[in-house]
Amino acid sequence: MGSLVNKHVLMGVTGGIAAYKSAELIRQLQKAGATVRVIMTPAAQEFITPLTLQALSGYPVHTALLDSAAEAAMGHIELARWADLILIAPASADFLARLCHGEGGDLLGAVCLASSCTIAVAPAMNQAMWANASTQKNVNNLNSRGIKIIGPGEGYQACGDVGAGRMEEPDLITDQVKALFTSNLLDGKKVVITAGPTREALDPVRYISNHSSGKMGYALAVAAVEAGAETILISGPVNLQAPERVTIMHVVSAQDLLDASLEAVVDADIFIAAAAVADYRPAHNAHQKIKKNDDNISLALTKNPDIVATIASLEKRPFTVGFAAETNDLENHARKKLNNKKLDLVIANDVSNQSIGFNSDDNQVTIITNDSTEKLPLMSKGTLAIHLIRHLASCVSK
Ligand code: C5P
C-alpha cells in the first residue's frame, strides 16, 4: 500500500469521547509521511485541548471561522486548498448531519464546502445514535456524494453500551487513508511525464533557463503511480525529491529531454509534457568560459525541438497532453496549441495571475480537447494532479 509522503492531511476533530484517539491518529499519519494540520470544533475542545494537538501536529490548531489573526495566517480558503485530504475523526452524529446539509457556519463546515479534495469521515457515537434512521440516511447521502466513510467499529462503548459506533482504531484509519490515495484507474498503463526547466549551455559555467519549479509534473507523477501506472518522470534540474516508485530520468537540455522522451515513450499510453522547455538555445556552446572583454556582445539563438509535438507526430503515439501557460485569451491560444501540435488534450493556465502557475503550490486550469472545455477551480497542485490523472484515465479507457 502507498505511503503518505508529502500528503497534506487536514484533520477535523469534532465533539466525542473518541477525540482522545485523534492524538494517536496524528502520530500514525505523520509516521506514514503526512503533514497534519488540525481543525477542532468547540465541542471537541471539551474533550481534548488544542494545545495537545498543536504539540503533536507541530502547527497551530484552527478553531474559529471568524478569527482575524488566524485568517491572516491561514484562513479557511487557504486551509481548504492546502488539504490533499480532509479527514474528520471523530465525526459526531451532529457533524455528519451538518456536513450532509452543507452547513458552513463553522470553520470545519466552511472548509469542507470550500475544498475540492477527498473528504473522509470516521464516525464515532453511541450505538443507538449510529443506528438511528436520521444518521443512516445522512451517511448514505454522504456516501453517494463520494465522501468516504471509515468505520465505525463495533464493541464496548464509553457509555456502557455495546454495538456499532466506536471510532475505528488509528492504525486502521491510517491504512484506509493510504488506500484513499491509491486506485487501479491506470493499472497496466505506462505514463511518461516531463517536468521542470531545461538549461541551455552558453559556456562551461553559464546557461539560459527559466523559473519552472517542476512541482506540477512531480505531482502528476505521484498521482499517476498512485493510480497504478508504470510511471516515468523525465526531469530537468529542480529542487524536488524523486517520488517513490517512479522511474526518474534526469536531463539538462531540451535536446536531452527529447532523447529521453523518445526512449521512454515506447509502448507508453499517455505522454504529459509539463516541462517548461527553453524555446531557444545558444547557437554556440563555447568550450571555454566567455571573457568579459567587450562592452556589448550578441547572442545568437537557435530554436529547440518541440518535444510534445515530436511525440504527437510519432506513428505509434500515446495519448499526448500539453500545457499552455498564457497571459491572455487563454482558450483561443490553448486551442491553437492543441491543433498546431496535434495534441489530444491541453491543460491551460493563466500565468498573469501571480498566485498560480510557476513556483506556486496552487494552480487553476482549464482542460481543453477538440470538443470540450472544462474549467476546474483553484486547488493545490497535488489535488489538481489527482483530478487530471482521473480525467486522463477516463480518456484512455474509452
Ligand atoms: O509552445 P509552448 O511552449 O507554449 O507550449 C507549451 C507546451 O509544449 C508544454 O506542454 C511544453 O512542455 C511543450 N513544449 C515542448 N517542447 C518545446 C516547447 C514546449 O514539449 N520545445
Side-chain angles (χ1 to χ4, degrees):
M1 198 180 294
S3 77
L4 297 175
V5 172
N6 292 333
K7 299 288 185 241
H8 292 174
V9 177
L10 183 58
M11 213 168 103
V13 182
T14 71
I17 184 58
Y20 82 92
K21 289 192 197 170
S22 50
E24 175 58 18
L25 180 55
I26 292 172
R27 276 262 186 264
Q28 298 262 353
L29 293 167
Q30 287 172 328
K31 230 166 93 185
T35 303
V36 184
R37 285 180 178 265
V38 181
I39 294 176
M40 295 179 81
T41 63
Q45 296 166 59
E46 301 291 332
F47 290 93
I48 184 168
T49 68
L51 194 62
T52 305
L53 301 191
Q54 172 174 320
L56 288 170
S57 68
Y59 291 97
V61 168
H62 302 264
T63 54
L65 179 59
L66 302 175
D67 171 347
S68 53
E71 282 285 312
M74 198 185 241
H76 64 289
I77 300 296
E78 282 85 0
L79 276 172
R81 269 185 216 138
W82 176 87
D84 295 317
L85 173 78
I86 298 176
L87 169 65
I88 297 144
S92 64
D94 175 63
F95 185 77
L96 294 179
R98 287 192 284 123
L99 183 62
C100 189
H101 291 111
E103 289 184 22
D106 69 332
L107 179 61
L108 188 54
V111 166
C112 288
L113 284 177
S115 184
S116 309
C117 73
T118 302
I119 299 177
V121 295
M125 64 199 74
N126 164 269
Q127 53 83 26
M129 292 172 81
W130 172 251
N132 188 284
S134 297
T135 305
Q136 287 304 307
K137 193 169 165 222
N138 292 339
V139 169
N140 287 338
N141 175 300
L142 294 173
N143 194 27
S144 71
R145 283 159 39 194
I147 291 173
K148 311 292 175 193
I149 318 291
I150 302 177
E154 290 199 22
Y156 283 99
Q157 300 202 293
C159 52
D161 281 4
V162 180
R166 289 163 55 98
M167 185 170 105
E168 276 297 11
E169 293 307 318
D171 53 348
L172 218 139
I173 296 178
T174 305
D175 283 347
Q176 298 217 20
V177 164
K178 287 183 193 167
L180 287 178
F181 284 103
T182 60
S183 73
N184 54 9
L185 286 174
L186 288 175
D187 265 3
K189 304 281 187 207
K190 179 175 170 184
V191 177
V192 179
I193 300 165
T194 71
T198 64
R199 285 181 185 170
E200 310 299 329
L202 270 164
D203 69 16
V205 294
R206 304 183 181 95
Y207 54 82
I208 297 173
S209 191
N210 59 63
H211 292 293
S212 169
S213 64
K215 285 178 188 169
M216 192 67 240
Y218 273 59
L220 283 163
V222 171
V225 85
E226 287 176 349
E230 174 195 348
T231 307
I232 301 182
L233 176 64
I234 310 175
S235 176
V238 294
N239 282 319
L240 298 172
Q241 216 183 326
E244 289 175 6
R245 295 175 289 138
V246 168
T247 304
I248 191 148
M249 297 170 84
H250 292 285
V251 295
V252 177
S253 67
Q255 187 58 49
D256 297 343
L257 184 55
L258 176 64
D259 296 343
S261 299
L262 287 169
E263 184 189 327
V265 89
V266 177
D267 294 331
D269 298 281
I270 302 176
F271 180 79
I272 310 174
V277 186
D279 291 322
Y280 293 89
R281 66 178 180 278
H284 304 288
N285 175 4
H287 291 301
Q288 308 285 339
K289 188 178 168 191
I290 300 167
K291 295 290 171 204
K292 52 172 181 292
N293 297 329
D294 302 320
D295 285 346
N296 295 298
I297 59 168
S298 304
L299 196 58
L301 298 173
T302 304
K303 202 162 193 186
N304 266 330
D306 192 306
I307 291 139
V308 76
T310 308
I311 300 300
S313 68
L314 293 175
E315 200 179 322
K316 198 168 166 285
R317 59 179 251 161
F319 187 89
T320 308
V321 180
F323 274 75
E326 307 293 342
T327 52
N328 65 310
D329 212 0
L330 187 70
E331 190 174 337
N332 262 341
H333 287 304
R335 266 190 197 289
K336 271 191 198 133
K337 227 155 265 185
L338 184 80
N339 294 327
N340 294 345
K341 300 193 188 208
K342 299 193 170 45
L343 306 178
D344 295 297
L345 185 147
V346 164
I347 300 161
N349 65 328
D350 178 355
V351 284
S352 65
N353 181 344
Q354 300 271 313
S355 65
I356 59 176
F358 271 10
N359 254 316
S360 155
D361 287 330
D362 299 329
N363 205 350
Q364 193 271 307
V365 305
T366 303
I367 300 175
I368 292 172
T369 65
N370 260 325
D371 47 23
S372 69
T373 302
E374 187 187 344
K375 187 171 179 181
L376 300 184
L378 179 60
M379 57 185 104
S380 76
K381 286 182 174 170
T383 300
L384 176 62
I386 294 171
H387 282 272
L388 292 173
I389 289 295
R390 276 192 205 135
H391 188 103
L392 296 178
S394 74
C395 294
V396 294
S397 68
K398 271 178 195 160

